[in-house]
Amino acid sequence: MGQGGVRAAVALVSVTVCLALGGWYFLGRQEVDLSLSKATEAGLYRIAIAPETEPFHREVMHAWVFTLTDRSGKPVEGAEITVGGGMPGHGHGLPTLPRQTRQLPGGRYEIDGFRFTMAGLWVLDVRVRSGLGEDRAMFNLSL
Ligand SMILES: [Cu+2]
């Protein structure tokens, strides 16, 4: 193979690698649902989550507010919410133990004790228990 042939081969390999990486990146991004409001797995609730104050600093201990409604959109009071999670890409859990600290009017719950020690994709596993039953929802956060 002459020099021209080597250059052509290198170019071809480069283009192939770029296309493969680009496709992987694009598909990977598409799979991640970053919505902060969704129905729980069994459909008992809808949960909307938001940092208590925005903008928030992910590395400083802070609270989020979770708003809980039932199937018909009515606020759910008196529920118990627990939060787990971590970074699936790194294989570790949450560095802190966020807990439900206050119930606010309108089916809103303060969950305090979040601290996201790294940038990247985090998952929150939110479990809800109330008179309506137990259900859960998974949220993805790209921080
Ligand atoms: Cu990590």
Side-chain angles (χ1 to χ4, degrees), residues 3 18 39-40 45 52 55 76 80 85 90 106 116-118 122 124 134-136 139:
Q3 226 176 18
C18 284
T40 48
Y45 308 98
E52 193 163 53
V76 175
E80 227 176 85
H90 296 179
F116 301 100
T117 45
M118 301 176 200
W122 291 81
L124 296 181
E134 279 188 55
D135 209 349
R136 81 196 276 220
F139 291 90

Side-chain angles (χ1 to χ4, degrees), residues 16-94:
T16 307
V17 167
C18 284
L19 286 176
L21 283 177
W24 172 77
Y25 181 75
F26 180 71
L27 290 173
R29 298 288 287 196
Q30 271 203 328
E31 275 170 23
V32 178
D33 166 19
L34 294 175
S35 63
L36 297 182
S37 172
K38 63 179 67 176
T40 48
E41 285 176 0
L44 293 181
Y45 308 98
R46 172 164 277 276
I47 309 175
I49 70 173
E52 193 163 53
T53 53
E54 285 184 280
F56 72 100
H57 195 302
R58 67 174 166 78
E59 292 181 47
V60 174
M61 198 73 94
H62 65 280
W64 284 55
V65 172
F66 289 15
T67 304
L68 198 59
T69 47
D70 67 11
R71 258 180 237 269
S72 64
K74 218 180 95 209
V76 175
E77 313 286 352
E80 227 176 85
I81 299 176
T82 55
V83 181
M87 294 186 90
H90 296 179
H92 64 75
L94 296 177

Side-chain angles (χ1 to χ4, degrees), residues 99-120:
R99 283 179 206 285
Q100 176 179 328
T101 41
R102 273 200 301 163
Q103 189 173 344
L104 307 164
R108 291 179 306 130
Y109 299 80
E110 181 189 69
I111 315 290
D112 202 0
F114 286 97
R115 201 160 72 84
F116 301 100
T117 45
M118 301 176 200

Side-chain angles (χ1 to χ4, degrees), residues 122-134:
W122 291 81
V123 165
L124 296 181
D125 179 2
V126 179
R127 288 161 196 258
V128 178
R129 197 191 312 166
S130 83
L132 296 175
E134 279 188 55

